[in-house]
């Protein structure tokens, strides 16, 4: 009897000792979600497609799908000019503030802070991977000193440099499945072999960049992959591009960290796009991305929202993407 008591106490003590570890381990298997009310601010005019309702509807859809309790909420990180300067010029940072005012500047910085917070959480093992439900988008932002294509600061480009220079990762893969080419992102890494940029997009649409012949320069030659698709391209065309062009390059590259410019204006029925990717297609693209990370020896993925202007379509595409990240 005494022995049983001892044993049961012993087990209780061991369980108590392990509890924080078990909790941490369970959380580290979760997918993170970055969202903040500040992203619901209206930046542009009332009829502008880049509207706060995009995230309102998406947030509700995430709740309706029963995902809230399974996602690890990640708060924004406070950032300053030094983080913005990881990618942008001082002139661009000053231009955003002087051309568009302190308020818009603050909201755009919050988007960067959200993306970097997701990188921190994955880096520290708090979550396995993370989605950043953010606006405004970022992949058109280079160093123009003003808003371009609804973008102010390039969330994903800054995250890539943050991962390299602050967190010590060497090779970053950026996968951009937005309908539009991420000209800003391409511009930062065009001659850089440490960042592999892959984009599927319609070449003839805004911003009319993304020529497949532009494959990088100097040491970065071959590390910029543009796949131009025609109107009507759907799951099979985009998956074909992933399987035949992204996969071989990414498996050779072996990224230490993967970033996704997750645009959902490449989805069917988007008012600004003419591709036909379905919700299942986004799940498949997500699974391909996870396979690349796993083949590189880890699960480190941060996905940040870019475009997507059909409210219901955007929301269901995001839910499908999240569910595939959470599997
Ligand atoms: Zn777009």
């Amino acid at each position: 009897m005494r022995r049983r008591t001892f044993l049961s106490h012993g087990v209780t003590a061991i369980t108590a000792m392990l509890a924080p570890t078990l909790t941490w381990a369970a959380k580290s298997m979760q997918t993170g979600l970055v969202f903040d009310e500040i992203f619901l601010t209206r930046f542009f005019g009332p009829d502008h497609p880049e509207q706060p309702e995009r995230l309102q509807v998406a947030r509700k859809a995430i709740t309706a799908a029963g995902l809230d309790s399974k996602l690890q909420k990640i708060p924004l990180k406070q950032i300053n000019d030094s983080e913005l300067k990881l990618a942008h010029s001082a002139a661009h940072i000053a231009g955003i503030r002087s051309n568009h005012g302190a308020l818009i500047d603050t909201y755009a910085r919050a988007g960067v802070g959200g993306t970097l917070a997701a990188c921190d959480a994955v880096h520290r093992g708090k979550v396995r991977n993370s989605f950043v439900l953010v606006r405004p988008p970022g992949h058109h932002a280079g160093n123009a000193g003003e808003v371009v294509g609804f973008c102010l600061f390039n969330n994903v480009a800054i995250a890539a440099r943050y991962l390299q220079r602050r967190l010590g990762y060497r090779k970053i893969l950026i996968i951009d499945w937005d309908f539009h080419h991420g000209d800003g992102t391409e511009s930062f890494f065009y001659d850089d072999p440490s960042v592999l940029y892959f984009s599927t997009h319609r070449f003839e649409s805004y911003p009319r960049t993304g020529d497949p012949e532009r494959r990088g320069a100097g040491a970065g030659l071959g590390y910029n992959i543009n796949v131009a698709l025609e109107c009507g391209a759907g799951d099979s065309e985009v998956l074909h591009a992933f399987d035949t062009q992204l996969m071989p390059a990414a498996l050779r590259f072996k990224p230490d960290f993967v970033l996704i410019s997750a645009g959902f204006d490449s989805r069917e029925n988007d008012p600004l796009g003419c591709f036909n990717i379905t919700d299942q297609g986004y799940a498949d693209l997500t699974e391909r991305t996870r396979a690349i990370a796993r083949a590189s020896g880890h699960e480190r993925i941060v996905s940040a929202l870019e475009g997507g202007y059909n409210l219901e379509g955007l929301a269901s595409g995001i839910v499908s993407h999240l569910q595939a990240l959470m599997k």
Side-chain angles (χ1 to χ4, degrees), residues 286-309:
T286 308
E287 186 43 54
R288 296 293 203 282
T289 305
R290 291 188 64 191
I292 290 169
R294 280 195 299 267
S296 309
H298 58 87
E299 291 252 26
R300 293 186 286 268
I301 300 170
V302 166
S303 172
L305 179 63
E306 298 284 357
Y309 305 98

Side-chain angles (χ1 to χ4, degrees), residues 205-283:
S205 294
Y206 180 89
R208 295 175 182 273
T209 57
D211 187 332
E213 292 188 5
R214 281 180 54 81
R215 299 178 54 249
L221 184 63
Y223 293 87
N224 192 80
I225 306 174
N226 287 322
V227 181
L229 299 170
E230 299 298 323
C231 268
D235 297 350
S236 60
E237 287 80 6
V238 179
L239 283 166
H240 180 74
F242 268 56
D243 290 341
T244 59
Q245 300 200 55
L246 171 61
M247 278 293 186
L251 295 179
R252 269 198 309 275
F253 183 65
K254 285 200 183 346
D256 300 311
F257 209 110
V258 183
L259 299 170
I260 305 176
S261 268
F264 293 87
D265 44 12
S266 46
R267 189 182 178 279
E268 54 190 348
N269 300 319
D270 191 278
L272 269 62
C274 61
F275 287 174
N276 290 320
I277 302 181
T278 66
D279 293 340
Q280 181 57 47
Y282 290 114

Side-chain angles (χ1 to χ4, degrees), residues 139-140 178-180 265 307-309:
H139 71 155
H140 296 304
D178 191 277
F179 173 74
H180 306 96
D265 44 12
Y309 305 98

Side-chain angles (χ1 to χ4, degrees), residues 7-263:
L7 270 178
S8 103
H9 279 179
V11 169
T12 309
I14 290 167
T15 310
M17 280 164 60
L18 286 175
T21 315
L22 291 171
T23 309
W24 179 85
K27 280 184 179 172
S28 72
M29 293 306 291
Q30 284 185 330
T31 291
L33 177 68
V34 178
F35 174 74
D36 192 280
E37 298 283 321
I38 197 170
F39 298 149
L40 298 180
T41 311
R42 192 175 295 281
F43 316 117
F44 303 115
D47 298 324
H48 198 288
E50 209 298 279
Q51 51 180 303
E53 287 78 3
R54 295 175 64 227
L55 296 209
Q56 276 168 357
V57 174
R59 194 69 196 80
K60 279 184 191 156
I62 291 168
T63 302
L67 305 186
D68 275 322
S69 62
K70 298 169 191 153
L71 290 162
Q72 179 78 6
K73 308 299 184 311
I74 299 170
L76 301 187
K77 176 188 179 75
Q78 292 299 317
I79 62 145
N80 55 41
D81 282 9
S82 74
E83 278 83 22
L84 300 178
K85 283 178 184 167
L86 289 167
H88 294 289
S89 66
H92 177 78
I93 297 164
I96 292 296
R97 202 173 182 88
S98 61
N99 287 321
H100 303 291
L103 267 178
I104 283 190
D105 181 62
T106 302
Y107 304 140
R109 283 170 189 251
V112 176
T115 310
L116 300 190
C119 293
D120 282 344
V122 172
H123 170 64
R124 291 179 188 148
K126 287 186 176 173
V127 293
R128 181 177 62 187
N129 54 36
S130 186
F131 181 65
V132 190
L133 185 59
V134 62
R135 55 181 285 275
H139 71 155
H140 296 304
N143 280 319
E146 60 184 359
V147 63
V148 279
F150 319 159
C151 300
L152 296 147
F153 298 123
N154 196 316
N155 303 319
V156 164
I158 296 168
R161 289 299 188 220
Y162 179 78
L163 289 165
Q164 291 182 318
R165 294 178 186 166
R166 301 279 176 88
L167 302 184
Y169 295 97
R170 274 197 319 125
K171 293 180 290 180
I172 313 297
L173 167 63
I174 300 175
I175 298 174
D176 186 334
W177 67 52
D178 191 277
F179 173 74
H180 306 96
H181 179 242
D183 53 331
T185 309
E186 180 185 87
S187 73
F188 289 118
F189 308 113
Y190 198 64
D191 59 359
D192 186 343
S194 72
V195 178
L196 174 59
Y197 177 66
F198 172 86
S199 172
T200 47
H201 52 268
R202 182 166 184 264
F203 180 30
E204 294 79 8
S205 294
Y206 180 89
R208 295 175 182 273
T209 57
D211 187 332
E213 292 188 5
R214 281 180 54 81
R215 299 178 54 249
L221 184 63
Y223 293 87
N224 192 80
I225 306 174
N226 287 322
V227 181
L229 299 170
E230 299 298 323
C231 268
D235 297 350
S236 60
E237 287 80 6
V238 179
L239 283 166
H240 180 74
F242 268 56
D243 290 341
T244 59
Q245 300 200 55
L246 171 61
M247 278 293 186
L251 295 179
R252 269 198 309 275
F253 183 65
K254 285 200 183 346
D256 300 311
F257 209 110
V258 183
L259 299 170
I260 305 176
S261 268

